[in-house]
Amino acid sequence: AQTVTQSQPEMSVQEAETVTLSCTYDTSENNYYLFWYKQPPSRQMILVIRQEAYKQQNATENRFSVNFQKAAKSFSLKISDSQLGDTAMYFCAFMKHMNRDDKIIFGKGTRLHILP
Amino acid sequence: DSGVTQTPKHLITATGQRVTLRCSPRSGDLSVYWYQQSLDQGLQFLIQYYNGEERAKGNILERFSAQQFPDLHSELNLSSLELGDSALYFCASSVGTGVGYEQYFGPGTRLTVT
């Protein structure tokens, strides 16, 4: 079974700093998808970034980028020039490719505080 | 706004009762997913429907059931409620299935069982 581990329950950084959230996962699959979801205080789940395992190039979305290390089964999220609005719970997540189901397996989350 | 709607936003009920949570997917999306977010279990996949048919089951209790109707909206039925069922229940939808389509989450229904 697939598992997703986020080793940092909580982090705090100053506004405008860069922060990296860690995530490791365990799978025997070769093709899969990895995601980072953001859950602000409003509780809405928002997709931040998506990585396809067969792509070697790391995904980027504006200030958000990932460091995808397939052999190490590591998928960290870097937030550059952090903003107060980045304060949220961040979930790393995994989905199999071409499986019967598309269930997303989530990590326990990292609570990120951006300090003014 | 993801385009996925869920009603009600909040629900407070007593142990032993039955409730129905409703979800309307984004226009054009055929897949609907239900997730439960609780403090102790985190975010867990419950069940998926695709175009009216059950596609996959996760950690869904036997007291819980769901269905997807011809108009593609979905309902999650929770019965014989226990205190431990208190959680945030999310519905998500995607256009298809199998190739990592993005799942768009609704705002959730917060269920409190007293």
Side-chain angles (χ1 to χ4, degrees):
Chain A
Q2 287 74 29
T3 58
V4 178
T5 302
Q6 294 180 249
S7 58
Q8 304 149 314
E10 198 158 359
M11 298 180 72
S12 297
V13 295
Q14 294 293 137
E15 191 177 6
E17 288 185 350
T18 293
V19 59
T20 299
L21 280 57
S22 302
C23 172
T24 58
Y25 58 94
D26 188 24
T27 184
S28 58
E29 303 287 327
N30 190 45
N31 290 325
Y32 47 87
Y33 305 90
L34 295 165
F35 308 89
W36 279 97
Y37 277 87
K38 168 184 177 180
Q39 188 178 39
S42 67
R43 296 291 188 179
Q44 178 77 46
M45 291 291 289
I46 303 164
L47 179 64
V48 174
I49 201 162
R50 175 179 183 270
Q51 175 81 41
E52 291 143 345
Y54 62 85
K55 289 186 177 178
Q56 291 188 346
Q57 187 172 7
N58 289 324
T60 62
E61 286 288 340
N62 301 313
R63 297 181 296 106
F64 299 87
S65 62
V66 297
N67 182 3
F68 173 48
Q69 302 288 328
K70 191 173 184 180
K73 295 180 183 175
S74 170
F75 183 61
S76 60
L77 174 71
K78 185 171 85 171
I79 306 174
S80 304
D81 185 27
S82 58
Q83 301 174 358
L84 295 179
D86 296 333
T87 292
M89 193 77 159
Y90 287 81
F91 294 95
C92 179
F94 172 99
M95 182 199 292
K96 287 184 187 178
H97 171 71
M98 288 306 292
N99 199 45
R100 175 160 174 80
D101 67 72
D102 301 315
K103 67 179 180 184
I104 296 177
I105 299 168
F106 289 91
K108 294 291 188 185
T110 295
R111 187 173 300 281
L112 177 64
H113 302 276
I114 308 298
L115 307 172
Chain B
D1 185 356
S2 66
V4 178
T5 60
Q6 288 186 248
T7 56
K9 274 190 173 181
H10 303 279
L11 201 48
I12 302 174
T13 190
T15 53
Q17 295 299 304
R18 172 190 170 96
V19 297
T20 298
L21 313 184
R22 183 188 168 100
C23 168
S24 292
R26 292 188 322 151
S27 176
D29 283 0
L30 298 177
S31 271
V32 169
Y33 313 80
W34 287 96
Y35 293 88
Q36 179 195 57
Q37 185 177 28
S38 62
L39 281 174
D40 54 344
Q41 296 294 324
L43 260 164
Q44 291 199 93
F45 168 77
L46 295 178
I47 198 164
Q48 176 193 359
Y49 280 84
Y50 176 72
N51 203 20
E53 293 189 2
E54 182 184 301
R55 183 97 174 164
K57 264 186 175 179
N59 299 321
I60 188 166
L61 299 171
E62 285 192 11
R63 301 183 284 108
F64 296 0
S65 65
Q67 53 184 327
Q68 186 179 29
F69 294 86
D71 67 352
L72 301 177
H73 91 272
S74 177
E75 292 180 358
L76 179 66
N77 300 297
L78 315 177
S79 61
S80 302
L81 285 167
E82 302 175 359
L83 295 177
D85 298 327
S86 295
L88 189 55
Y89 291 85
F90 284 107
C91 168
S93 74
S94 69
V95 63
T97 187
V99 288
Y101 289 112
E102 179 175 347
Q103 293 183 21
Y104 294 86
F105 282 74
T109 292
R110 177 163 297 283
L111 173 66
T112 302
V113 182
T114 61

